[in-house]
Structure formats: structure tokens, C-alpha cells
Amino acid sequence: MKIGPILAKRGDWLSPEGGDHPVVISSRVRLARNLSKMPFPGWAKKTERIRILDEIKPEINCLNQMKDGFSEHLNELSAVEKQVLVERHLISREHAAKGVGSAVMISSSQAISIMINEEDHLRMQAITSGLDLLKTFQMIDEVDTALEAHLDFAFDPELGYLTACPTNVGTGMRASAMVHLPGLVLGEQVNQVVNSVNKIGLAVRGLYGEGTEALGNLFQVSNQTTLGEKESQIIERLNKVIETLIQRESQARENLLATRRTTLLDQIGRAYGILTHAHSVSSKEALNLLSIMRLGIDLGFFPEGGRLIINALLMETQPAHLQHFSQQKLAAEERDYRRADIVREKLKSFPKPNNTKESGDHTADPAPESK
Amino acid sequence: MICDVCKTNPATVYLTQIVDGNMKKVNLCESCSKDKGVSDPTGFALADLLLGLGETQQVEQASPAEQCPACGFTQADFKKTGRLGCSDCYATFADGLSSLLQAMHKGIKHTGKVPARLFRDLARFDRLNELKRNLEEAVTKEDYESAATIRDEIRQLESGEVDS
């Protein structure tokens, strides 16, 4: 299958069937594997990388999970196409920079994606919507088990799966959840929470992983360590922290409703006002405002039915998605115009925020200043 | 306040460093600060410690001239990239890597998934190690009768490996 149909279709984790969680957007688990007796991609020569690719690719093609999937060499993809895959979290930014000797394979549901010759020979990931790291792990674990019957993975009885970077050795597993924390950000508690999560050996990063900014109040929480614990133990530890994060975020939202209701309504009203009337919106502004709209839905200021529109816009307003679907390369300025047009069009029938409504789940006392 | 590294001893060394314009703070106890070379600020980067990137330094100290026989990767390459050359590098640079892995991870023994076809070998490997320890113990205790039994079992296990 060529890339067009894959890109035209929304991944399962972004679709309505995916189920929606007010705090956890998606769960992702990736496994790093390498063939034994072959240099890691970063050290391998071009001919070796091609040989590795030729050995791995047919085995993945045989997998049930990858039936009717998409497969392409990185040098065959345009810069915009690669960037669209990055925006969907189907490949890493690092992989997008690769060319000859690297490939990406994506299942038709886009739940499984496999990078060949990224930092390791194989980086396989499963992504699902909402919070279910264990199920997500099992999905990719099945792929791994099927592949290991045909591929000789580098494994040491003491150190586990051997990876190019010593930070991944052992399970080779990185489990992560993308969490939406507008309450903690608006309540100015997010730094404190992020610091305490970092202290217990888990990493909190921005939207696109290592070294990226936390745009749209979106954060990724993941395990830092891969050696010395079973996969299930790592996931359990992560789950506990995520549960706490969900709790803290819910408290922060209730707090905002109870004590800073006017500020909250102001933010939501401004987000609605700008998105429905602006003629130029940057991707950063779009992400941040759409995040507030999402919060507005979570708190009952907008009807639940609006969630799909906001989720879709979160993806479609990203720079590469915008360019891919307008089928032309756009300068930054033109992108901002185009983005504003799309947002206004999609939000045309979106109702105004219902300020009088008391959210059912958050029956906090109406704050005096809101009257 | 307790040490950020060992998380047991009280911290006595408080370090602040500006990395890429961000201030990072770390609190260390006496022995961890020595382990990490904090007394020598030129050879120490807080970011390395926090991000677990201290490997370059440590591996270099361990074996400066070594080269991986399988892939030709050297210490200098590791220092440059922070990545290893091939899976055999883990054995080549084992000495330098072990302290690094210890600092970086929850433990230094893999306890997770094992490829199915290695699973049987691995069980045998663990059993062999256990038997060899027992054998040594028996010999030390001059319990030659037990030693002979253990040796027979070791031989049997090792010959089993040849069979398969």
C-alpha cells in the first residue's frame, strides 16, 4: 500500500472508537531489538544497513499484524510525508532524518509501526488511545515473539536485549503515556508535579519526545530505566504514577472551578473567540487554544459531541498535515492563514461556551466572583 | 535531604550547574560525590549524571586503548556518539560499562523477557552457575562426596548442550 491512503485515514487511536480519556490521550510501548553479529545502524556501513533491512523486512511482511499495511524506504518519502508520520507519532524525529537503508512499516490500523535501522535495527511500537499500557505492551510483545522465531536477536543472559545505547539495554522497552494537564498548568503546579515524577526515575518530556517543548499542555511520561525490572514491573510503576497524575489533574481542575472560575471561563471564552474568528493562527497557538477547548469539553462547557472535532483539529493543524492535505508546500505565513481557515470552518457550528452550566462531575460551589 | 544518587545517605554536597541555559541542582552524599568525580569539576558534568550520559568518561577510564574485535569500535567512538558499535561491544567494554549501567538502571541483571529459543539455554546457564558455586563450596568444605555428585551433574548438563 502506498502512503496516500494511510495518511488520508486517521489512526485507530485518534478515531471515535478508540475511546476517550479526559487526561490520558494515548498509550505507547516500543521495543528495541537488534540482530546479533551485525553492527548497530549508527556504526554500520550503507551496504550493511541494506543487508540488515533486506533480512528484516520480509519477516515483518509475513506478520499477520502487518497484513495490508504500509511499507516504505525512508529515501522514497518526501520531507512532508516523513513529517506527517512524525506528527502522528508513527516514526521518531531521528528516523525522519534517515535515508537509504532505513524503512518504516505501519499496520493498516496504524496501531503498530516498525522502524528499521533507526538507532537500533528494529524499533517496534504499539499505540492505543486512552490509558492501557499493559494491553499496548501485549500488542507489541506478540509482534516481537512472532519475529524472534525467525530473527536472531542480540541477547545476553545477564544484560538482556543489547541495544545501541546503554540506556535501553535489558528489556529494550520504553512505555509512555501522553497526558493532557491543562489544570496543572493553569494552576501553576505542573513544574512541581513534573519534578517529583522525574525524581522517581520516570521521564516527563514534551509532545515529540526528548528535548521538545510541552505544547498544548501535553506531556509524555515514560520509564527511564530498562534493566533490572521485568516489563510488567516497569508498566506497573508507570501506571501508579499516571494514576497519581490523573488524580492531581482532576483536583487541579476542580480547584480552578471552585476558586478561579472567572479565570477559567475567560481562558475558555478567549480560546473559542480566537479560534472561531482569527484569520492567522500559528501551530503553537492552535495547539494551546485547542487544549483549552478540550478542557472546556471535559468540564462540560461545550457539548461532548465536540470532542471529535477538537481531536481531529489537534492533528490536522500540525504543519506537515496542513501541507500534505493542501497538496502544496506553504510558507509559514500561508500556513497560518490556511490553519485559521480550517479551524473556523470546522468550528462553524460549534456552540458558544455554556457558562451557566454546572458540570455534573465537578459539583464545586459556585465561586462568588463568578456571579 | 538525602543523596539523589544512592537515595540512602544524607546529602552533604550541593551542586548547581547551568546546562543550556537551564539551572540544574543535584544533592549528593560524600561517597557518591567521590564516585561521580564531583571533587574534580572539570571532569564532571551534572547533565551527564542526571541524564545518565556519564558513560563516556567512565568507559574511557576503564580501558583506554581497547577496540571491539567484532566491529572495530573504539572508546573514542563511544565518547563521540554515546552509542556502541555492535552487540559484542557490551562484552568488549564490559568493565567500563558495568558501573555505568549500575548508575543508569534499577539493577544490572536482566529479569524481563527472554527469547523463547534461548529460554531453555538460559535456565541451563543459571543452573550451571549455581552448580559451579556449589562445587566450589563443597571442595572448600572438603566434602568430596557431594563434590563428585555435583561434578557429574555439571558434566551431564554440559554434554546436553553439545547434544542440542
mmCIF file of all heavy atoms in Angstrom, chain A residues 203-238:
data_model
loop_
_atom_site.group_PDB
_atom_site.id
_atom_site.type_symbol
_atom_site.label_atom_id
_atom_site.label_comp_id
_atom_site.label_asym_id
_atom_site.label_seq_id
_atom_site.Cartn_x
_atom_site.Cartn_y
_atom_site.Cartn_z
ATOM 1 N N ALA A 203 10.594 9.736 33.211
ATOM 2 C CA ALA A 203 10.885 10.964 32.482
ATOM 3 C C ALA A 203 9.598 11.640 32.056
ATOM 4 O O ALA A 203 8.630 10.979 31.695
ATOM 5 C CB ALA A 203 11.728 10.643 31.251
ATOM 6 N N VAL A 204 9.575 12.961 32.118
ATOM 7 C CA VAL A 204 8.464 13.724 31.564
ATOM 8 C C VAL A 204 9.032 14.595 30.460
ATOM 9 O O VAL A 204 9.998 15.323 30.672
ATOM 10 C CB VAL A 204 7.795 14.617 32.623
ATOM 11 C CG1 VAL A 204 6.595 15.328 32.028
ATOM 12 C CG2 VAL A 204 7.370 13.790 33.817
ATOM 13 N N ARG A 205 8.466 14.468 29.278
ATOM 14 C CA ARG A 205 9.003 15.215 28.146
ATOM 15 C C ARG A 205 7.881 15.930 27.407
ATOM 16 O O ARG A 205 6.716 15.717 27.687
ATOM 17 C CB ARG A 205 9.663 14.249 27.159
ATOM 18 C CG ARG A 205 10.778 13.442 27.769
ATOM 19 C CD ARG A 205 11.570 12.765 26.674
ATOM 20 N NE ARG A 205 12.746 12.130 27.224
ATOM 21 C CZ ARG A 205 12.875 10.815 27.370
ATOM 22 N NH1 ARG A 205 11.901 10.021 27.011
ATOM 23 N NH2 ARG A 205 13.982 10.308 27.856
ATOM 24 N N GLY A 206 8.285 16.748 26.442
ATOM 25 C CA GLY A 206 7.309 17.485 25.636
ATOM 26 C C GLY A 206 6.647 16.592 24.610
ATOM 27 O O GLY A 206 6.859 15.380 24.578
ATOM 28 N N LEU A 207 5.855 17.217 23.753
ATOM 29 C CA LEU A 207 4.979 16.498 22.833
ATOM 30 C C LEU A 207 5.709 15.499 21.939
ATOM 31 O O LEU A 207 5.242 14.400 21.712
ATOM 32 C CB LEU A 207 4.229 17.527 21.981
ATOM 33 C CG LEU A 207 3.196 17.029 20.990
ATOM 34 C CD1 LEU A 207 2.176 16.142 21.669
ATOM 35 C CD2 LEU A 207 2.515 18.216 20.338
ATOM 36 N N TYR A 208 6.854 15.886 21.384
ATOM 37 C CA TYR A 208 7.532 14.987 20.443
ATOM 38 C C TYR A 208 8.787 14.361 21.025
ATOM 39 O O TYR A 208 9.763 14.118 20.331
ATOM 40 C CB TYR A 208 7.803 15.690 19.114
ATOM 41 C CG TYR A 208 6.525 15.939 18.392
ATOM 42 C CD1 TYR A 208 5.989 17.210 18.283
ATOM 43 C CD2 TYR A 208 5.788 14.869 17.887
ATOM 44 C CE1 TYR A 208 4.772 17.424 17.667
ATOM 45 C CE2 TYR A 208 4.569 15.072 17.271
ATOM 46 C CZ TYR A 208 4.065 16.338 17.159
ATOM 47 O OH TYR A 208 2.863 16.535 16.568
ATOM 48 N N GLY A 209 8.766 14.094 22.314
ATOM 49 C CA GLY A 209 9.852 13.347 22.924
ATOM 50 C C GLY A 209 10.993 14.228 23.363
ATOM 51 O O GLY A 209 10.848 15.438 23.548
ATOM 52 N N GLU A 210 12.117 13.567 23.535
ATOM 53 C CA GLU A 210 13.298 14.164 24.122
ATOM 54 C C GLU A 210 13.581 15.572 23.613
ATOM 55 O O GLU A 210 13.630 15.817 22.409
ATOM 56 C CB GLU A 210 14.508 13.281 23.806
ATOM 57 C CG GLU A 210 15.334 13.006 25.022
ATOM 58 C CD GLU A 210 16.159 11.744 24.828
ATOM 59 O OE1 GLU A 210 15.659 10.783 24.219
ATOM 60 O OE2 GLU A 210 17.281 11.738 25.295
ATOM 61 N N GLY A 211 13.749 16.495 24.531
ATOM 62 C CA GLY A 211 14.189 17.837 24.170
ATOM 63 C C GLY A 211 13.144 18.679 23.472
ATOM 64 O O GLY A 211 13.459 19.708 22.908
ATOM 65 N N THR A 212 11.876 18.247 23.477
ATOM 66 C CA THR A 212 10.863 19.068 22.829
ATOM 67 C C THR A 212 10.002 19.772 23.872
ATOM 68 O O THR A 212 9.903 19.353 25.005
ATOM 69 C CB THR A 212 9.960 18.242 21.889
ATOM 70 O OG1 THR A 212 9.305 17.231 22.653
ATOM 71 C CG2 THR A 212 10.761 17.612 20.775
ATOM 72 N N GLU A 213 9.370 20.835 23.419
ATOM 73 C CA GLU A 213 8.582 21.697 24.281
ATOM 74 C C GLU A 213 7.237 21.049 24.643
ATOM 75 O O GLU A 213 6.698 20.275 23.869
ATOM 76 C CB GLU A 213 8.274 22.958 23.464
ATOM 77 C CG GLU A 213 8.506 24.258 24.159
ATOM 78 C CD GLU A 213 8.209 25.382 23.183
ATOM 79 O OE1 GLU A 213 8.505 25.243 21.978
ATOM 80 O OE2 GLU A 213 7.676 26.391 23.635
ATOM 81 N N ALA A 214 6.717 21.400 25.807
ATOM 82 C CA ALA A 214 5.397 20.905 26.193
ATOM 83 C C ALA A 214 4.338 21.829 25.617
ATOM 84 O O ALA A 214 3.848 22.728 26.275
ATOM 85 C CB ALA A 214 5.280 20.832 27.704
ATOM 86 N N LEU A 215 3.993 21.610 24.355
ATOM 87 C CA LEU A 215 2.975 22.439 23.713
ATOM 88 C C LEU A 215 1.596 21.889 24.034
ATOM 89 O O LEU A 215 1.433 20.704 24.283
ATOM 90 C CB LEU A 215 3.177 22.417 22.197
ATOM 91 C CG LEU A 215 4.427 23.118 21.674
ATOM 92 C CD1 LEU A 215 4.615 22.795 20.205
ATOM 93 C CD2 LEU A 215 4.314 24.612 21.877
ATOM 94 N N GLY A 216 0.609 22.755 23.997
ATOM 95 C CA GLY A 216 -0.767 22.312 24.182
ATOM 96 C C GLY A 216 -0.996 21.592 25.494
ATOM 97 O O GLY A 216 -1.871 20.739 25.579
ATOM 98 N N ASN A 217 -0.213 21.908 26.500
ATOM 99 C CA ASN A 217 -0.332 21.278 27.825
ATOM 100 C C ASN A 217 -0.228 19.756 27.744
ATOM 101 O O ASN A 217 -0.792 19.046 28.560
ATOM 102 C CB ASN A 217 -1.651 21.677 28.506
ATOM 103 C CG ASN A 217 -1.800 23.184 28.610
ATOM 104 O OD1 ASN A 217 -0.853 23.864 28.991
ATOM 105 N ND2 ASN A 217 -2.965 23.696 28.259
ATOM 106 N N LEU A 218 0.474 19.273 26.710
ATOM 107 C CA LEU A 218 0.637 17.836 26.526
ATOM 108 C C LEU A 218 2.027 17.404 26.988
ATOM 109 O O LEU A 218 3.024 18.044 26.656
ATOM 110 C CB LEU A 218 0.451 17.467 25.054
ATOM 111 C CG LEU A 218 -0.967 17.629 24.509
ATOM 112 C CD1 LEU A 218 -0.966 17.553 22.995
ATOM 113 C CD2 LEU A 218 -1.903 16.582 25.101
ATOM 114 N N PHE A 219 2.063 16.322 27.744
ATOM 115 C CA PHE A 219 3.328 15.813 28.270
ATOM 116 C C PHE A 219 3.405 14.314 28.035
ATOM 117 O O PHE A 219 2.382 13.642 28.010
ATOM 118 C CB PHE A 219 3.427 16.075 29.784
ATOM 119 C CG PHE A 219 3.389 17.529 30.156
ATOM 120 C CD1 PHE A 219 2.189 18.201 30.271
ATOM 121 C CD2 PHE A 219 4.570 18.227 30.377
ATOM 122 C CE1 PHE A 219 2.150 19.548 30.610
ATOM 123 C CE2 PHE A 219 4.543 19.575 30.718
ATOM 124 C CZ PHE A 219 3.335 20.236 30.839
ATOM 125 N N GLN A 220 4.632 13.821 27.885
ATOM 126 C CA GLN A 220 4.819 12.382 27.786
ATOM 127 C C GLN A 220 5.508 11.875 29.040
ATOM 128 O O GLN A 220 6.556 12.389 29.405
ATOM 129 C CB GLN A 220 5.703 12.039 26.593
ATOM 130 C CG GLN A 220 5.017 12.209 25.266
ATOM 131 C CD GLN A 220 5.897 11.711 24.142
ATOM 132 O OE1 GLN A 220 6.246 10.550 24.090
ATOM 133 N NE2 GLN A 220 6.268 12.613 23.266
ATOM 134 N N VAL A 221 4.922 10.880 29.658
ATOM 135 C CA VAL A 221 5.536 10.268 30.832
ATOM 136 C C VAL A 221 6.035 8.894 30.426
ATOM 137 O O VAL A 221 5.289 8.114 29.837
ATOM 138 C CB VAL A 221 4.512 10.080 31.973
ATOM 139 C CG1 VAL A 221 5.230 9.726 33.258
ATOM 140 C CG2 VAL A 221 3.675 11.322 32.149
ATOM 141 N N SER A 222 7.303 8.601 30.726
ATOM 142 C CA SER A 222 7.826 7.297 30.317
ATOM 143 C C SER A 222 8.858 6.785 31.301
ATOM 144 O O SER A 222 9.361 7.533 32.133
ATOM 145 C CB SER A 222 8.455 7.397 28.929
ATOM 146 O OG SER A 222 9.558 8.270 28.975
ATOM 147 N N ASN A 223 9.173 5.484 31.196
ATOM 148 C CA ASN A 223 10.208 4.919 32.059
ATOM 149 C C ASN A 223 11.589 5.328 31.563
ATOM 150 O O ASN A 223 11.831 5.434 30.368
ATOM 151 C CB ASN A 223 10.091 3.387 32.125
ATOM 152 C CG ASN A 223 10.255 2.732 30.762
ATOM 153 O OD1 ASN A 223 9.573 3.063 29.821
ATOM 154 N ND2 ASN A 223 11.203 1.822 30.665
ATOM 155 N N GLN A 224 12.493 5.579 32.512
ATOM 156 C CA GLN A 224 13.870 5.955 32.183
ATOM 157 C C GLN A 224 14.745 4.719 32.124
ATOM 158 O O GLN A 224 15.700 4.660 31.368
ATOM 159 C CB GLN A 224 14.455 6.838 33.302
ATOM 160 C CG GLN A 224 14.028 8.269 33.306
ATOM 161 C CD GLN A 224 14.905 9.100 32.410
ATOM 162 O OE1 GLN A 224 15.062 8.774 31.235
ATOM 163 N NE2 GLN A 224 15.471 10.156 32.916
ATOM 164 N N THR A 225 14.464 3.748 33.002
ATOM 165 C CA THR A 225 15.359 2.603 33.152
ATOM 166 C C THR A 225 14.757 1.379 32.481
ATOM 167 O O THR A 225 13.533 1.224 32.425
ATOM 168 C CB THR A 225 15.605 2.294 34.632
ATOM 169 O OG1 THR A 225 14.355 1.993 35.255
ATOM 170 C CG2 THR A 225 16.220 3.490 35.343
ATOM 171 N N THR A 226 15.635 0.527 31.952
ATOM 172 C CA THR A 226 15.165 -0.640 31.208
ATOM 173 C C THR A 226 15.783 -1.939 31.717
ATOM 174 O O THR A 226 15.423 -3.013 31.254
ATOM 175 C CB THR A 226 15.522 -0.484 29.717
ATOM 176 O OG1 THR A 226 16.921 -0.157 29.621
ATOM 177 C CG2 THR A 226 14.725 0.624 29.063
ATOM 178 N N LEU A 227 16.729 -1.820 32.652
ATOM 179 C CA LEU A 227 17.442 -3.017 33.113
ATOM 180 C C LEU A 227 17.186 -3.211 34.607
ATOM 181 O O LEU A 227 17.216 -2.253 35.373
ATOM 182 C CB LEU A 227 18.948 -2.844 32.848
ATOM 183 C CG LEU A 227 19.885 -3.993 33.234
ATOM 184 C CD1 LEU A 227 19.562 -5.253 32.458
ATOM 185 C CD2 LEU A 227 21.340 -3.590 32.989
ATOM 186 N N GLY A 228 16.952 -4.477 34.999
ATOM 187 C CA GLY A 228 16.782 -4.773 36.424
ATOM 188 C C GLY A 228 15.338 -4.982 36.847
ATOM 189 O O GLY A 228 15.072 -5.365 37.975
ATOM 190 N N GLU A 229 14.406 -4.710 35.953
ATOM 191 C CA GLU A 229 12.992 -4.932 36.254
ATOM 192 C C GLU A 229 12.347 -5.655 35.078
ATOM 193 O O GLU A 229 12.729 -5.455 33.933
ATOM 194 C CB GLU A 229 12.258 -3.590 36.385
ATOM 195 C CG GLU A 229 12.400 -2.872 37.687
ATOM 196 C CD GLU A 229 11.700 -1.511 37.609
ATOM 197 O OE1 GLU A 229 12.095 -0.695 36.758
ATOM 198 O OE2 GLU A 229 10.762 -1.293 38.370
ATOM 199 N N LYS A 230 11.317 -6.430 35.394
ATOM 200 C CA LYS A 230 10.527 -7.061 34.333
ATOM 201 C C LYS A 230 9.687 -5.995 33.632
ATOM 202 O O LYS A 230 9.358 -4.973 34.232
ATOM 203 C CB LYS A 230 9.542 -8.063 34.959
ATOM 204 C CG LYS A 230 10.128 -9.385 35.365
ATOM 205 C CD LYS A 230 8.938 -10.302 35.709
ATOM 206 C CE LYS A 230 9.362 -11.703 36.002
ATOM 207 N NZ LYS A 230 9.966 -11.929 37.280
ATOM 208 N N GLU A 231 9.264 -6.298 32.392
ATOM 209 C CA GLU A 231 8.404 -5.375 31.642
ATOM 210 C C GLU A 231 7.160 -5.025 32.460
ATOM 211 O O GLU A 231 6.742 -3.871 32.541
ATOM 212 C CB GLU A 231 7.979 -6.001 30.305
ATOM 213 C CG GLU A 231 9.102 -6.120 29.275
ATOM 214 C CD GLU A 231 9.956 -7.367 29.451
ATOM 215 O OE1 GLU A 231 9.773 -8.078 30.460
ATOM 216 O OE2 GLU A 231 10.814 -7.635 28.593
ATOM 217 N N SER A 232 6.571 -6.059 33.085
ATOM 218 C CA SER A 232 5.325 -5.833 33.833
ATOM 219 C C SER A 232 5.559 -4.934 35.051
ATOM 220 O O SER A 232 4.693 -4.143 35.411
ATOM 221 C CB SER A 232 4.730 -7.164 34.277
ATOM 222 O OG SER A 232 5.681 -7.887 35.019
ATOM 223 N N GLN A 233 6.737 -5.053 35.653
ATOM 224 C CA GLN A 233 7.040 -4.202 36.814
ATOM 225 C C GLN A 233 7.186 -2.745 36.386
ATOM 226 O O GLN A 233 6.735 -1.830 37.072
ATOM 227 C CB GLN A 233 8.335 -4.664 37.489
ATOM 228 C CG GLN A 233 8.197 -5.990 38.221
ATOM 229 C CD GLN A 233 9.547 -6.529 38.687
ATOM 230 O OE1 GLN A 233 10.505 -6.551 37.916
ATOM 231 N NE2 GLN A 233 9.602 -6.952 39.941
ATOM 232 N N ILE A 234 7.856 -2.539 35.248
ATOM 233 C CA ILE A 234 8.038 -1.173 34.743
ATOM 234 C C ILE A 234 6.674 -0.554 34.465
ATOM 235 O O ILE A 234 6.394 0.586 34.845
ATOM 236 C CB ILE A 234 8.899 -1.180 33.455
ATOM 237 C CG1 ILE A 234 10.314 -1.662 33.779
ATOM 238 C CG2 ILE A 234 8.926 0.201 32.810
ATOM 239 C CD1 ILE A 234 11.205 -1.863 32.561
ATOM 240 N N ILE A 235 5.798 -1.334 33.834
ATOM 241 C CA ILE A 235 4.472 -0.819 33.474
ATOM 242 C C ILE A 235 3.660 -0.533 34.725
ATOM 243 O O ILE A 235 2.965 0.485 34.816
ATOM 244 C CB ILE A 235 3.766 -1.804 32.524
ATOM 245 C CG1 ILE A 235 4.416 -1.704 31.145
ATOM 246 C CG2 ILE A 235 2.268 -1.528 32.438
ATOM 247 C CD1 ILE A 235 3.963 -2.717 30.149
ATOM 248 N N GLU A 236 3.783 -1.397 35.718
ATOM 249 C CA GLU A 236 3.040 -1.193 36.962
ATOM 250 C C GLU A 236 3.480 0.102 37.639
ATOM 251 O O GLU A 236 2.664 0.885 38.124
ATOM 252 C CB GLU A 236 3.294 -2.386 37.887
ATOM 253 C CG GLU A 236 2.315 -2.502 39.028
ATOM 254 C CD GLU A 236 2.652 -3.692 39.910
ATOM 255 O OE1 GLU A 236 3.087 -4.740 39.359
ATOM 256 O OE2 GLU A 236 2.535 -3.560 41.136
ATOM 257 N N ARG A 237 4.796 0.317 37.654
ATOM 258 C CA ARG A 237 5.343 1.521 38.267
ATOM 259 C C ARG A 237 4.829 2.763 37.534
ATOM 260 O O ARG A 237 4.422 3.752 38.142
ATOM 261 C CB ARG A 237 6.875 1.455 38.190
ATOM 262 C CG ARG A 237 7.628 2.327 39.151
ATOM 263 C CD ARG A 237 9.002 1.745 39.467
ATOM 264 N NE ARG A 237 9.818 1.507 38.287
ATOM 265 C CZ ARG A 237 10.581 2.437 37.712
ATOM 266 N NH1 ARG A 237 10.616 3.647 38.201
ATOM 267 N NH2 ARG A 237 11.295 2.159 36.646
ATOM 268 N N LEU A 238 4.842 2.673 36.224
ATOM 269 C CA LEU A 238 4.382 3.791 35.394
ATOM 270 C C LEU A 238 2.890 4.040 35.627
ATOM 271 O O LEU A 238 2.452 5.182 35.768
ATOM 272 C CB LEU A 238 4.653 3.432 33.930
ATOM 273 C CG LEU A 238 4.783 4.534 32.911
ATOM 274 C CD1 LEU A 238 5.781 5.576 33.344
ATOM 275 C CD2 LEU A 238 5.209 3.943 31.572
#
